[in-house]
Amino acid sequence: MPKRILLYAALVAGAFISVFPYLLVVLTALKTQAQLSSTPPWLPGLPPTTDNLAKMLGGDFPRYVLNTAVMTALLTAGQLVFTTFAAYAFARLRFKGRDVLFWLYVATMMVPSAVTMIPLFLIMRELDLVNTWYGLLAPYILGTPYGIFLMRQFFKSLPAGLEEAARIDGAGPMTILLRVLLPLCRPALGTLAIITVISSWNSFLWPLIITSGDDTRVITVAIATLKDGIGVDYHLMMAGSLIALAPMVAVFIFFQKHIVRSVVLTGLK
Amino acid sequence: MVIVLVLSLFDWELLSAPEFVGLDNYHRLAADGETWHSLGVTAGYVLLCIPLQTVLALALAMLLNQRMKGVRLYRSLFVIPWMATPIVLALIWNWIFDPRDGALNSALALVGITGPDWLSDPDWALPAVALVSVWQHTGYNMLFFLAGLQGIPQELRDAAATDGATAAQRFWRVTLPLLNPTMFFVTVTNLIGAFQVFDTVYAMTDGGPSGSTEVLNFRIFQTAFKEFDFGYAATLSALLFAVILLVTLAQVRFFGKRTTYDLS
């Protein structure tokens, strides 16, 4: 079966291209300063050292990881709750101006982020929330247009008959949402959760602008500051990246089956 | 509600620029060759990334929608590029694109090709940045297509096959139309993202060499934070916003016409 072999060859090559840059992260994280300059990036430093990882884990880095984890958990919880209600309203409830409002909301995705940052920052400063957890979380905890777009597409794919049956039985919109639709949404919510977890975990620009102290510093900002010092500590930076990346890969592999089954955006009714 | 409030304040900010400075910024925009150059660069970037990453993602999804050994492992491996921090990725890719001893040109040398200078060559810098985007987003988009494919009942394809449809006909007449809602979501969100590319440009090329990667969003950032000309930056943002809005509306019409899928 040469076709099968060709297929596998393509997959292996593709997978290698996907993973190769990460291989460089791992290799660099396991090098000493001297090996960094004496070996090309894609060859391992021999013998490998775990000093960089130990150094990162021994300092303030675990605290930044914890900060990031707390931020991620809160943003994800907020996104799931608020996005569900908003998307349900946009997909199923009938009210005046619904579609205009929805497309206005989607339009906010089109506003360049470099520009929204300035007014957002000014608002946070007026509210005295700079360098606080509230300031860090406020802009994103109530859900994102992207999430609402995704969930709305999902709600639209659920058969309308379900709702009508529940309504005839006397259920209000709230009961319908919580008792009838939400259980069916579990897979879509899983997808939304993982997307939010990964984007929150990697968020950089807003945390960089709004926080400056150790209490609220997140890993992306911590990694970036390693680049600001005298010379770039590539090996430490890569060790930090490796520590930051590991939980995400673990989360993804763990939920992989669930995710793929869940992103249902078909228009079949 | 706070989000809506915040954004409504922002929209006012956006609109307040033309209100207070009059149309001066817009006159300036019309005569600003550098901005039109940026818009061209942005369009080039979008045209380089979007078709490639969409087609690749769909092809991968179709491959990985089959029953085969290790399929879950492959799916995970392809999605991994989406998971890391952009700054770190930019750094790594700068090593890979290094013209002398970078991994890419070393690999090309093995097959006897002298690679270009990539990031320091004005002709190759933009394709190089676009390549990173394709690398990063293909697997992520593949997930959506995979899910879309799994939502298509196999009976439909089987029925088409019994009616004598070839594989190509089955793809164009059955699979692709039924993937329309997925295609709509993927292309709309990707285009919006690609028009606003910033992180990779900022970290990899800083707009250079000689402005060849100066996309509009990067120019907005420069105008606002390097030249502190926020009013004009807002004008440029309005331009970028208008372009994205037009493209999205065109997509809504395009997909709305071709499908029974309910856009309202």
Side-chain angles (χ1 to χ4, degrees), chain A residues 58-218:
Chain A
D60 281 333
F61 207 71
R63 183 177 179 185
Y64 305 144
V65 173
L66 184 68
N67 285 345
T68 314
V70 170
M71 174 182 80
T72 301
L74 291 172
L75 288 180
T76 307
Q79 165 100 301
L80 290 180
V81 172
F82 293 107
T83 294
T84 305
F85 284 113
Y88 174 66
F90 284 133
R92 288 298 210 226
L93 299 183
R94 276 171 210 178
F95 54 92
K96 228 182 152 190
R98 181 188 72 175
D99 296 331
V100 174
L101 197 63
F102 172 72
W103 286 106
L104 265 179
Y105 212 77
V106 171
T108 61
M109 284 202 296
M110 303 172 198
V111 179
S113 61
V115 177
T116 45
M117 291 297 155
I118 306 165
L120 254 182
F121 180 78
L122 294 177
I123 291 166
M124 291 303 157
R125 205 178 53 185
E126 284 306 306
L127 298 172
D128 215 11
L129 293 177
V130 172
N131 213 10
T132 64
W133 277 97
Y134 296 107
L136 182 62
L137 299 173
Y140 303 105
I141 199 160
L142 295 179
T144 58
Y146 183 85
I148 290 171
F149 192 6
L150 182 69
M151 286 302 288
R152 176 179 170 271
Q153 300 287 86
F154 180 77
F155 275 123
K156 279 186 162 291
S157 72
L158 297 175
L162 277 174
E163 242 172 307
E164 273 151 32
R167 203 171 298 134
I168 290 164
D169 290 346
M174 207 58 177
T175 320
I176 293 176
L177 174 62
L178 296 180
R179 293 281 178 79
V180 182
L181 299 180
L182 214 52
L184 294 170
C185 282
R186 222 178 292 157
L189 286 172
T191 310
L192 182 62
I194 188 130
I195 290 172
T196 315
V197 164
I198 290 184
S199 65
S200 310
W201 188 267
N202 285 329
S203 63
F204 174 63
L205 193 57
W206 180 244
L208 179 72
I209 291 173
I210 197 76
T211 67
S212 53
D214 270 352
D215 291 340
T216 46
R217 176 163 296 168
V218 296

Side-chain angles (χ1 to χ4, degrees), chain B residues 31-254:
Chain B
D32 184 354
E34 215 180 319
T35 295
W36 299 112
H37 164 77
S38 292
L39 196 59
V41 173
T42 310
Y45 175 82
V46 169
L47 287 175
L48 283 169
C49 302
I50 299 295
L52 193 59
Q53 81 197 25
T54 311
V55 169
L56 271 180
L58 180 57
L60 257 183
M62 295 192 59
L63 279 184
L64 293 176
N65 194 31
Q66 313 175 55
R67 281 182 171 277
M68 55 191 283
K69 250 189 197 158
V71 73
R72 289 176 57 183
L73 175 71
Y74 281 114
R75 286 176 188 165
S76 299
L77 289 178
F78 282 111
V79 183
I80 274 186
W82 166 60
M83 294 187 200
T85 319
I87 7 161
V88 175
L89 288 181
L91 192 75
I92 294 282
W93 277 96
N94 278 359
W95 287 350
I96 294 175
F97 281 127
D98 189 291
R100 261 170 309 280
D101 38 66
L104 187 56
N105 278 1
S106 302
L108 288 176
L110 287 181
V111 286
I113 300 172
T114 311
D117 284 349
W118 297 109
L119 298 175
S120 43
D121 181 336
D123 291 335
W124 284 100
L126 193 66
V129 175
L131 195 67
V132 176
S133 164
V134 172
W135 172 80
Q136 195 174 4
H137 296 116
T138 296
Y140 174 68
N141 290 326
M142 181 266 295
L143 275 185
F144 289 96
F145 283 126
L146 199 53
L149 286 172
Q150 295 188 346
I152 297 175
Q154 186 61 41
E155 302 89 70
L156 280 178
R157 272 176 282 190
D158 291 345
T162 5
D163 288 349
T166 62
Q169 280 172 331
R170 286 203 298 276
F171 175 74
W172 290 106
R173 299 283 170 78
V174 182
T175 310
L176 209 54
L178 288 173
L179 272 181
N180 229 348
T182 313
M183 198 57 111
F184 175 67
F185 180 81
V186 166
T187 51
V188 167
T189 53
N190 274 327
L191 270 163
I192 292 176
F195 270 106
Q196 295 191 42
V197 61
F198 176 77
D199 292 1
T200 34
V201 168
Y202 179 73
M204 286 179 68
T205 62
D206 210 22
S210 52
S212 60
T213 58
E214 200 192 69
V215 291
L216 195 49
N217 206 17
F218 184 76
R219 182 157 160 70
I220 293 170
F221 174 83
Q222 291 272 337
T223 310
F225 291 92
K226 296 271 161 71
E227 295 157 29
F228 299 105
D229 192 349
F230 188 59
Y232 192 52
T235 312
L236 297 181
S237 309
L239 173 70
L240 180 55
F241 177 75
V243 170
I244 299 175
L245 190 65
L246 279 177
V247 172
T248 308
L249 287 177
Q251 282 174 280
V252 170
R253 289 197 66 142
F254 178 76

